[in-house]
Amino acid sequence: MEDEYEKLVRRLNPPRVVVDNDSSDVATVIQVDSVNKHGTLLQVVQVLSDMNLIIKKAYISSDGGWFMDVFNVTDYYGNKIRDQEVINYIQKTIESDASLMPSVREAVGVMPSEADTSIELTGTDRPGLLSEVCAVLADLDCNVVNAEIWTHNSRAAAVVHVTDRSSGCAISDPKRLLTIKKLLCYVLKGNSEYTTAEMRLSPPGTHRGRRLHQIMFDDRDYERMETIGQAGLEEKYPRPLITVADCSEKDYTVITMRSKDRPKLLFDIVCTLTDMKYVVFHGMVASGTMEAYQVKNFEFYIRHIDGRPIRSEAERERVMQCLEAAIERRASEGLELELCTDDRAGLLSDITRIFRENGLSIQRAEISTKSGKAVDTFYVTDVEGNPVDQTIINSIRQEIGQTVLQVKQKSCLSQKPAQETTMSFLFASFFKRPKPQSLKRNRYCN
């Protein structure tokens, strides 16, 4: 009965979105007012992230039954959002109840859609794994339409959309799906009897980014393991600073984070907090600089969905581990390679085989097919996690085609000087800062 009442209140009070290009000289300001419910913040951030907008600043306030969020955003190149069609789409999508997607945690395993079959994969990461998966799919006459693959802390997860090669439609035959599952699980498991591997079907409309976070979270990738090349990577790349402290005067837990900036960072953090059943009541996000890096600073005042702040040391540690994993999963420190060519059967299998034969390890990948063209992005290192020798890249490009495989710039954020160079706290006058000894320290950017 309570759920029906909440739905009625929401229908009577739909979200209101105001897009302002005048109040800031450097960004478009988007203000969202809405009835508050668990997951609303994530749904708004998801819309902005899916449009590849860069969130420079954000202010979050959601005490009581209403919330107001303010986002300062730019496009991929650091410009204001001036296209009226884009502005209209932002307003329409956030204000529409159709954008409020339910969680898919309990919906996995249903039959595929008519367009394609969405497969979820989980297994132990190793060099050449994606190549082996693609080879199996090719041998089974499955065409990969699009996919996203993440690796983190020795684990690998993927959401892969496939069709039948001959018909171009989704694969619905239960016997064939069972064969695909058996062979893929065999490949994902490898030679070890102790590792776990799984293949499931996703329901239609599953959001890939959120689902990948859930898959890796369920696979406990936040529990750090010693892996080949890990020590070297930790020395080369900055890791996030995360602190968790009590704000006893207001009965909140305050989380502060500093991380190297990248697209979709806020979405990844909010996604994990939401799936861990925490609510962000107040918060701020601000860009800054640290040495040679652009960084993002966060401060969130949270409680568990049952109204409690974090109480135990074990819960603190778990929150810090999970947030660090959320930040790192999509981080792409490898060399970015972009493939653009006419799509054909077995193309992905051939490309990943060439990578494997030349000693490349794929850390993350985004696969897509648009109007008969394959547009794929790979983030690669050598098998030990080190940068790839340029002579190897030159050799691969010569084999595949110089114009087909391009080396992209690593930095995808605007290099304009950041206006804020130190972390500021939005609620300093509202909340008494916790005493230094109450802070729980995790890891520093270095």
Side-chain angles (χ1 to χ4, degrees), residues 6 126 281 379:
E6 290 178 356
R126 66 178 186 275
F281 286 88
Y379 299 86

Side-chain angles (χ1 to χ4, degrees), residues 237-258:
Y237 307 125
R239 290 174 61 182
L241 163 66
I242 303 173
T243 64
V244 178
D246 296 327
C247 183
S248 56
E249 292 84 353
K250 299 292 182 179
D251 205 29
Y252 290 117
T253 294
V254 57
I255 297 177
T256 62
M257 289 169 280
R258 172 176 288 161

Side-chain angles (χ1 to χ4, degrees), residues 258-259 261 286-297 414-423:
R258 172 176 288 161
S259 169
D261 201 4
S287 300
T289 58
M290 186 173 182
E291 297 180 353
Y293 297 104
Q294 287 188 314
V295 297
K296 193 77 86 185
N297 299 310
S414 170
Q415 296 302 312
K416 297 177 182 178
Q419 292 188 335
E420 294 145 310
T421 57
T422 59
M423 188 170 186

Side-chain angles (χ1 to χ4, degrees), residues 25-28 52-56 73-82 294 412-416:
D25 294 332
V26 296
T28 297
N52 294 319
L53 301 183
I54 305 300
I55 299 174
K56 296 293 187 179
V73 305
T74 66
D75 66 12
Y76 185 84
Y77 302 101
N79 303 312
K80 287 187 178 184
I81 315 303
R82 298 195 181 276
Q294 287 188 314
C412 53
L413 292 176
S414 170
Q415 296 302 312
K416 297 177 182 178

Side-chain angles (χ1 to χ4, degrees), residues 39-47 210 266-268 270-272 274-275:
T40 299
L41 173 62
L42 172 61
Q43 291 155 353
V44 173
V45 173
Q46 178 177 308
V47 171
R210 185 173 185 190
L266 179 59
F267 168 80
D268 294 335
V270 174
C271 181
T272 296
T274 302
D275 285 335

